[in-house]
Structures are given as structure tokens and as C-alpha cells.
Amino acid sequence: MSPALLLIVFIAYTAMLFVIARLTSRNTDQKAFYIGGRKSNWLLVAYGYIGASLSGVTFMSVPGTVSKQNFYYLPFVLGMIFGYSFIAFVLIPLYFRLNLTSIYTYLEMRFGKCSYKTGASFFIISRILGAAIRTYVVVMVLHVFVLEGMGVPFWLVGLVFLLLAMLYTYQGGVKTIVWTDSFQTTFMLLAGIVTIVVIASQLDLSFFQMLGTIRNSDYSQICDFDWSSKTHFFKRFLAGVFMPIAMTGLDQGMMQKSLSCKNQNDAQKNIVLMIFLIVIVNIMFLMLGAILAIFCTTNGLSIADADRIFPTIAFDHLGTFVGVCFFIGLISAAYPACANALTALTTSTCIDLIGLEKKTDWQENRKKRIRILVQCVLTVLFLAIMLLVNILKSETLINIVYDVASYTYGPLLALYMFGLFTKRRVMDVCVPVICIAAPLLCLGIESWNIIGRIAGCFRPGEAEPLRFSFGFALLLVNAGLTWLGLLQCSRKADRNNSAARP
């Protein structure tokens, strides 16, 4: 497929985003940048959540994993129903009742300043790593399939993409993102649907014949009951329950859009609608992965890198129209991940770490300069991480994203659950130490295969220790260790003590 055509498509699509950004950023102040002036339409927010939640990683990696892991991702998707329900009926009411701009302000109200700074810092670290990996997907495709042949280096492609994402949100912030997310979600879903239809047509299958072919194929297995595997059914399901709570409900970037709704009821309705949409869309991408794998088998194609199965087939085997649709869909999925992250990270850094809202003696122009400087610094950090991922990438990106989340969101999950479901007072100064120690312990458990070695003691005939992995459920282990640490450094609150749960 012509690299020049793809470059023209990229420029045209980006130009449309800037037009939308221009229209939505008029008369925008600092408050509108952070929470959209609390005027966002809940239907628009819910629809836009799809593009922001899935990103380019889901767009490419979920279909890619089917060829190696069947439908083992589906239990994770089913667990999401319960996770998002917790967000809608527990976290959203809390955030609105406390009238939060940054959701991490809750930790200061509940535990103290050290906990507040720790929670915000863990979010910033996790979001930088996760969003940089998500952004890497589209930059990799842009480089490999479009610009590498022109001699353009990977770092320059990454830098230009990041600057474009920063520029189209630097003024409007959340107000712009709510609209562009919806615009981008449409193209992402359209790309998936078009690809399924074209492949089914090439294989001479009707819709119901395609479903039957997928069901009878080697890729339709849903449940993995090997307890030592990272794709074990219950590990994936439990991770699916708690991962959305951590990555959406405790994520400033995702909650920022819900907090921009007019009121609590609208914010809750947006999450409930999103539950149905996210399940349907993930199932669609799993079906896409199965039909891609069947297409490869039928045509004798062998593509080693799972993350390149979708782009390789779309660009080289399905014609120009599908290639363009895929490319637009990928850009549509990647722009929200990058732009949302930059906006959310800017919000958390400015409000939580720098404390701009509390600096009442600073003029608005000075605050705006600080905010733009923060965005620029974060952009440089994104680029550095993307360059590192480009060198070290060794498995499908969807696994890398959730592995990173397991280590970084675990302490956040424990802090909020401890605050919500206990009335104990924690020694605030101990919280940073506990939140750093828990992920390090998890890293040791996984790296040294401690569970596998213990299990090996009961299997004396085995020459090698059992290779055990928690997989995505490592998030729960991390949160559990953090919870135990908080419990040891806490005491019962006095009945009338103001430090009790808000």
C-alpha cells in the first residue's frame, strides 16, 4: 500500500481534529481545561469512553492475541461488568459528593498529605508508562508502514505525533477531548467492522457461517483451567473486576470526563451505558482476531509478531479501502490515549503535586505558563519511554500494559479500598514506604517464581520448578500486600474523629 497515501490520510485526519479542537476551545478557562465546566453531555462521554478505554493497544493486540491465546481474554471482559458497576455506584457518588477536581484529593481528606502525594505520584507514573506504550502502537505503524522507507527515524515520528496530541488539547483540555473521543471512537469501530466484513467476503462466508467457523475453529476456547498459567479463567475474571476500578475509577484521566458531566446522575448513566458498549466492542475485536487467524491459516500466512497481524493483513492483503480504514481506526484509537493521558497527567501534576488551585496569589497567566511547561516535560518523558519500548518489546503490548498497571495501580487500589471500607486511621508518613514496598515484593515473587518453587516441593518427580504466574491478577496481590501494610500501620479511629471516612 502506498506510504504517500497513508501520510496524506494521517495529515487530513489530524487537520480535522484541530478544527474540532479550535471550535471546542473557545472561551475556555483553567477550570474548563480540567473538568470541562461540568457541561458535558453524558451520552457523548459514554460513547467517547470506548475510544479512550480501548486505545491502539486493544485495536491491534486483542485481535493479535487470539492466534496464541484463543478467547482467554473474554473472562477478563466479563469481569469488567462488575468493575465498572462499582465505579458507577460507589466511586462516582463519592467524587461528586466531595466536589473533586482531582480525585486524589480524597486521599488527603481521608489519610493526609503524604497519602495524597503518594496516590497522585503512582497515578502519574502508571499513566506515563501505560499511555506511552499505547501511543507506541500507532507510532510503530506510522514508522514501519509509512515513513521508514523515506528514511525518517522512529524518534522523529514519535516526537511529531506527541506534539500534535499536545497541541490539539493544550487549550481546550477535557472540553476538547470529550468531543474528539466520540469522533475517534466512530472511526475505530468502523475499521473493525469493515475488516470483518471484507475478510468474511473473501472467505465466502455469511455472517452466521462466519460465527460457525469461529466456533468450530481452534481459536474459540474461552476457559483456561491450568492454575499455573497467567491466562487461567479465574485469574483473568478477577483481574477483569478490579482492573477497571484501578485503571478507570482511580484514573484521573478517565474520571475527569465523568466529572465533566452536569451532575452525578448523568455521570452514572454514562458509566452504565459504557458497560454494555465496552463488552460488545471487546467481543467484536475478539471475533476479529479469530477471523484474522483463520484468514492467515487459509492463505498460508505466518506472522510471528502478534501485534503486526492486523496491520500486515489490512495493508498487504485486503486492498486499499480496508488499509485506509484500518489506518484511520488506529489513529482514532491512539490519539485519545495520548491526548487523554497528557491532559490527565497535566491536571494531576498541576493540582496534586504543584498545587496550582491553592496558589490564589498567582495570576491566571502564570498558572497557564506552568501548565504548558508541565505538558512539554511530560511529552519528552513519553518519547523517552516509547524509545525504550521500541528497543525492549518482547511480547504483545496488551500484556505489557496490564503488567505495568498491576505494579503501579495496586497501591492506589488498596488506598481507596482501605479508605472506603474501613474507619481506621493510618500513619500518614508510612504510606509512601508501604506503597513502594508492595510492588517490589510482587516483582520479587514473579521474577523468582516463588509460588512455582513452593509448588515444586510437592512435585518431587519434576526436574524443573513449576512456572507459575499470577498474570493480570498480580494487581490483586499487589493491592493485598499494600492493604496488609496499611493495616499494620493503622489504628481504630475515635468515633468523633474528623480523620474518619469523608
Side-chain angles (χ1 to χ4, degrees):
M1 188 168 180
S2 169
L5 175 61
L6 294 179
L7 185 60
I8 292 171
V9 170
F10 176 76
I11 293 171
Y13 184 87
T14 304
M16 283 193 291
L17 286 185
F18 274 88
V19 170
I20 294 173
R22 177 65 178 171
L23 294 174
T24 57
S25 62
R26 292 174 178 173
N27 303 318
T28 302
D29 56 14
Q30 293 294 304
K31 197 73 173 178
F33 179 91
Y34 297 131
I35 56 174
R38 290 247 158 92
K39 296 179 180 178
S40 299
N41 182 283
W42 68 272
L43 282 169
L44 198 64
V45 173
Y47 184 64
Y49 256 130
I50 303 302
S53 299
L54 299 182
S55 80
V57 172
T58 304
F59 188 69
M60 280 176 45
S61 284
V62 169
T65 58
V66 173
S67 63
K68 296 182 178 180
Q69 296 181 3
N70 303 303
F71 272 34
Y72 295 158
Y73 187 71
L74 185 57
F76 182 86
V77 176
L78 298 178
M80 286 181 177
I81 297 171
F82 298 92
Y84 283 116
S85 297
F86 182 88
I87 294 170
F89 300 109
V90 177
L91 294 181
I92 290 290
L94 174 71
Y95 297 153
F96 270 87
R97 175 161 55 87
L98 299 178
N99 194 30
L100 303 180
T101 298
S102 167
I103 63 174
Y104 308 113
T105 311
Y106 166 76
L107 297 177
E108 184 176 29
M109 297 176 180
R110 179 63 176 84
F111 299 121
K113 192 170 184 178
C114 288
S115 300
Y116 171 43
K117 299 294 184 183
T118 301
S121 298
F122 266 86
F123 160 72
I124 290 169
I125 293 169
S126 186
R127 204 61 155 94
I128 288 175
L129 293 173
I133 294 168
R134 290 180 173 96
T135 305
Y136 166 81
V137 172
V138 71
V139 174
M140 180 267 289
V141 171
L142 272 171
H143 181 245
V144 171
F145 293 95
V146 182
L147 297 171
E148 188 175 31
M150 302 178 187
V152 181
F154 177 84
W155 68 265
L156 183 57
V157 181
L159 179 61
V160 170
F161 185 86
L162 288 170
L163 288 175
L164 289 172
M166 183 187 76
L167 287 172
Y168 93 78
T169 59
Y170 96 98
Q171 180 66 32
V174 172
K175 189 177 178 182
T176 295
I177 286 173
V178 166
W179 282 96
T180 55
D181 276 3
S182 301
F183 183 70
Q184 293 155 350
T185 296
T186 300
F187 284 100
M188 185 189 71
L189 297 180
L190 181 63
I193 293 169
V194 166
T195 304
I196 291 174
V197 170
V198 171
I199 291 179
S201 176
Q202 289 201 10
L203 296 176
D204 198 23
L205 298 172
S206 67
F207 177 75
F208 292 105
Q209 288 174 328
M210 180 188 69
L211 293 180
T213 302
I214 292 173
R215 185 176 62 252
N216 297 325
S217 71
D218 296 332
Y219 308 107
S220 61
Q221 296 180 42
I222 297 173
C223 301
D224 178 5
F225 291 113
D226 178 3
W227 74 277
S228 65
S229 171
K230 65 169 60 179
T231 58
H232 184 269
F233 176 86
F234 291 110
K235 292 179 189 176
R236 281 283 167 101
F237 181 80
L238 287 174
V241 174
F242 289 95
M243 198 70 79
I245 296 174
M247 295 186 69
T248 300
L250 307 182
D251 185 292
Q252 177 65 30
M254 300 302 288
M255 286 295 95
Q256 214 167 345
K257 286 176 287 185
S258 287
L259 294 177
S260 73
C261 292
K262 296 176 183 178
N263 52 54
Q264 177 184 311
N265 287 337
D266 279 3
Q268 288 178 303
K269 286 188 291 186
N270 118 72
I271 297 294
V272 171
L273 176 59
M274 200 260 288
I275 292 173
F276 294 100
L277 295 176
I278 205 80
V279 171
I280 292 170
V281 171
N282 270 288
I283 291 174
M284 184 193 79
F285 277 108
L286 285 170
M287 289 175 54
L288 172 61
I291 202 71
L292 285 169
I294 292 168
F295 183 86
C296 286
T297 302
T298 303
N299 291 275
L301 301 176
S302 178
I303 305 171
D305 188 344
D307 289 326
R308 296 195 182 189
I309 291 175
F310 194 2
T312 300
I313 292 176
F315 287 142
D316 298 339
H317 300 277
L318 299 180
T320 301
F321 178 69
V322 175
V324 170
C325 286
F326 165 81
F327 190 62
I328 294 176
L330 179 63
I331 301 169
S332 300
Y335 260 127
C338 185
N340 289 349
L342 284 172
T343 302
L345 288 166
T346 301
T347 298
S348 188
T349 303
C350 291
I351 292 178
D352 300 322
L353 299 188
I354 301 175
L356 284 187
E357 278 198 331
K358 298 177 181 178
K359 297 185 184 299
T360 55
D361 56 327
W362 286 17
Q363 294 183 349
E364 284 296 310
N365 285 339
R366 183 180 181 184
K367 291 181 180 180
K368 185 175 180 178
R369 286 197 300 270
I370 295 294
R371 190 245 295 168
I372 293 173
L373 176 61
V374 168
Q375 282 182 295
C376 293
V377 172
L378 290 170
T379 300
V380 174
L381 284 174
F382 265 55
L383 181 61
I385 294 167
M386 286 164 54
L387 293 175
L388 188 62
V389 171
N390 192 48
I391 296 171
L392 301 178
K393 177 179 177 289
S394 60
E395 59 176 315
T396 53
L397 288 167
I398 193 72
N399 292 334
I400 296 175
V401 168
Y402 287 126
D403 285 344
V404 168
S406 296
Y407 285 105
T408 53
Y409 277 105
L412 259 179
L413 181 62
L415 280 171
Y416 274 83
M417 295 302 104
F418 198 88
L420 287 169
F421 297 111
T422 77
K423 293 186 178 182
R424 299 179 69 89
R425 295 185 60 193
V426 176
M427 294 175 61
D428 189 41
V429 294
C430 296
V431 171
V433 177
I434 295 168
C435 290
I436 292 172
L440 291 177
L441 282 172
C442 288
L443 182 62
I445 291 170
E446 284 286 276
S447 300
W448 299 329
N449 192 27
I450 290 174
I451 303 298
R453 292 178 187 278
I454 293 174
C457 295
F458 301 96
R459 301 157 64 97
E462 299 289 335
E464 294 291 331
L466 183 68
R467 181 68 249 180
F468 178 88
S469 176
F470 286 105
F472 297 168
L474 187 65
L475 172 76
L476 302 181
V477 179
N478 193 357
L481 291 173
T482 306
W483 178 290
L484 290 175
L486 295 172
L487 188 65
Q488 292 301 312
C489 296
S490 65
R491 61 182 176 83
K492 290 183 179 179
D494 297 332
R495 183 170 296 178
N496 297 320
N497 198 292
S498 60
R501 185 172 39 173

